[in-house]
Amino acid sequence: MPSPSPARMHSFEVVSNEKIADGIFSLVISAPELARAIKPGQFVNLAVPGNAMSLLRVPLSYEVADADAGTVTLWYAVVGDGTHRLSQMQPGDNSDLLGPGGHGWTIPEGCGRALLVAGGIGVPPVLCLARELAHAGVSFDVCVGAATAEKLVGVADFEALGAASVNVATDDGTAGHHGFCTDAVQGLLAQNSYSYVATCGPEPMMAKVAAAASEAGVFCEASLERMMSCGFGACATCAVETKSGMKGACMCGPVFDAKEVVW
């Protein structure tokens, strides 16, 4: 049985809400208690004003939390009505959220080197993990991909954190390698000795990463995206099929041991 949800209700105020790539925004909110409590890999469920008919909150992972400033930064893609309305929120606007939800990344004790693989809007939780690794003095390599150069985010941030290498790929070849960010994974696993692999992005991408890590005998975690409608295990809309049965991503995830997921 999962532990009781750590999520609590928090009011927040928008500090900034800016477009950082094609269809991708960075939202900075002031929520001091949340900023002190949230851990890498956890998520929040935001109530977005503007449509009285919409009852569901928007689940988002976060990119960085600043406990001193009391702020949390969330990157999101505009993909539907909820995120479109979210992109219209202005500095000074207020709402509330439920968080922090679920449990996040588990860096192995004594981790020597890590491989991080992020695709599309799966970059924020992986970048958040990279900050944790950098703070702990753990070396890491990164594979990051997007559909096009215009949708690519996080590359400069990974480099600024001191990544040993940042391997960029785009589907159309407009930046970096022409192909998928998984194309470099097997080579990196063969060349380097890793203690840990972490991935977030499209599910087919994560399945490939999980398979490559398993073949190399390296512990791998994957952050799975689901529609976490309630955020605390009551609605069963975020079920993930695992080798030990169906589990809710909002309580047992969103980060799972990749070997336990039925891909």
Side-chain angles (χ1 to χ4, degrees), residues 3 14 21 39 53 74 87-88 123 126 175 188 193 204 207 217 223 236 239:
S3 302
V14 175
K39 303 298 182 187
M53 299 297 290
L74 308 118
S87 72
Q88 303 303 304
V123 167
V126 177
L188 286 166
S193 178
S223 179

Side-chain angles (χ1 to χ4, degrees), residues 139-218:
S139 176
F140 59 92
D141 297 281
V142 182
C143 296
V144 59
T148 70
E150 290 75 20
K151 293 184 178 293
L152 191 64
V153 293
V155 175
D157 301 272
F158 284 121
E159 291 173 342
L161 288 170
S165 68
V166 180
N167 304 270
V168 175
T170 50
D171 296 355
D172 64 357
T174 50
H177 169 69
H178 187 180
F180 303 122
C181 62
T182 50
D183 293 346
V185 169
Q186 283 189 320
L188 286 166
L189 284 167
Q191 294 164 18
N192 302 298
S193 178
Y194 293 108
S195 308
Y196 181 44
V197 176
T199 183
C200 185
E203 201 146 312
M205 180 205 84
M206 292 192 290
K208 286 185 178 181
V209 175
S214 178
E215 185 177 344
V218 182

Side-chain angles (χ1 to χ4, degrees), residues 37-55:
I38 199 164
K39 303 298 182 187
Q42 290 185 306
F43 71 97
V44 297
N45 252 9
L46 277 78
V48 183
N51 183 354
M53 299 297 290
S54 179
L55 301 178

Side-chain angles (χ1 to χ4, degrees), residues 8 10 21 27 45 82 99 131 138 141 162 176 199 201 206:
R8 301 291 183 269
H10 299 269
L27 171 70
N45 252 9
R131 295 183 192 283
V138 177
D141 297 281
T199 183
M206 292 192 290

Side-chain angles (χ1 to χ4, degrees), residues 18-26 75-78 120-121 151 153:
E18 300 175 349
K19 186 176 181 179
I20 57 172
D22 182 21
I24 299 175
F25 284 71
S26 174
W75 291 359
Y76 63 95
V78 177
I121 201 58
K151 293 184 178 293
V153 293

Side-chain angles (χ1 to χ4, degrees):
M1 291 292 291
S3 302
S5 173
R8 301 291 183 269
M9 291 297 299
H10 299 269
S11 297
F12 71 85
E13 179 179 318
V14 175
V15 176
S16 64
N17 193 16
E18 300 175 349
K19 186 176 181 179
I20 57 172
D22 182 21
I24 299 175
F25 284 71
S26 174
L27 171 70
V28 181
I29 60 171
S30 177
E33 289 186 15
L34 177 71
R36 289 192 294 269
I38 199 164
K39 303 298 182 187
Q42 290 185 306
F43 71 97
V44 297
N45 252 9
L46 277 78
V48 183
N51 183 354
M53 299 297 290
S54 179
L55 301 178
L56 298 181
R57 294 172 178 267
V58 175
L60 295 175
S61 55
Y62 79 106
E63 183 260 331
V64 66
D66 187 331
D68 293 332
T71 59
V72 179
T73 302
L74 308 118
W75 291 359
Y76 63 95
V78 177
V79 294
D81 175 65
T83 47
H84 173 72
R85 283 185 284 112
L86 183 59
S87 72
Q88 303 303 304
M89 293 188 76
Q90 300 295 316
D93 288 349
N94 295 277
S95 189
D96 59 62
L97 59 83
L98 183 71
H103 73 83
W105 306 105
T106 309
I107 302 171
E109 188 174 349
C111 182
R113 188 168 184 172
L115 174 60
L116 312 181
V117 187
I121 201 58
V123 167
V126 177
L127 182 53
C128 191
L129 171 62
R131 295 183 192 283
E132 192 86 348
L133 291 168
H135 180 73
V138 177
S139 176
F140 59 92
D141 297 281
V142 182
C143 296
V144 59
T148 70
E150 290 75 20
K151 293 184 178 293
L152 191 64
V153 293
V155 175
D157 301 272
F158 284 121
E159 291 173 342
L161 288 170
S165 68
V166 180
N167 304 270
V168 175
T170 50
D171 296 355
D172 64 357
T174 50
H177 169 69
H178 187 180
F180 303 122
C181 62
T182 50
D183 293 346
V185 169
Q186 283 189 320
L188 286 166
L189 284 167
Q191 294 164 18
N192 302 298
S193 178
Y194 293 108
S195 308
Y196 181 44
V197 176
T199 183
C200 185
E203 201 146 312
M205 180 205 84
M206 292 192 290
K208 286 185 178 181
V209 175
S214 178
E215 185 177 344
V218 182
F219 173 56
C220 177
E221 290 189 309
S223 179
L224 301 186
E225 180 178 327
R226 293 290 186 273
M227 188 59 212
M228 294 178 274
S229 301
C230 73
F232 53 86
C235 69
T237 61
C238 63
V240 172
E241 186 178 2
T242 74
K243 293 177 182 178
S244 55
M246 302 299 287
K247 294 183 178 180
C250 72
M251 294 287 286
C252 299
V255 177
F256 289 84
D257 180 339
K259 270 190 174 181
E260 293 301 308
V261 177
V262 177
W263 298 102

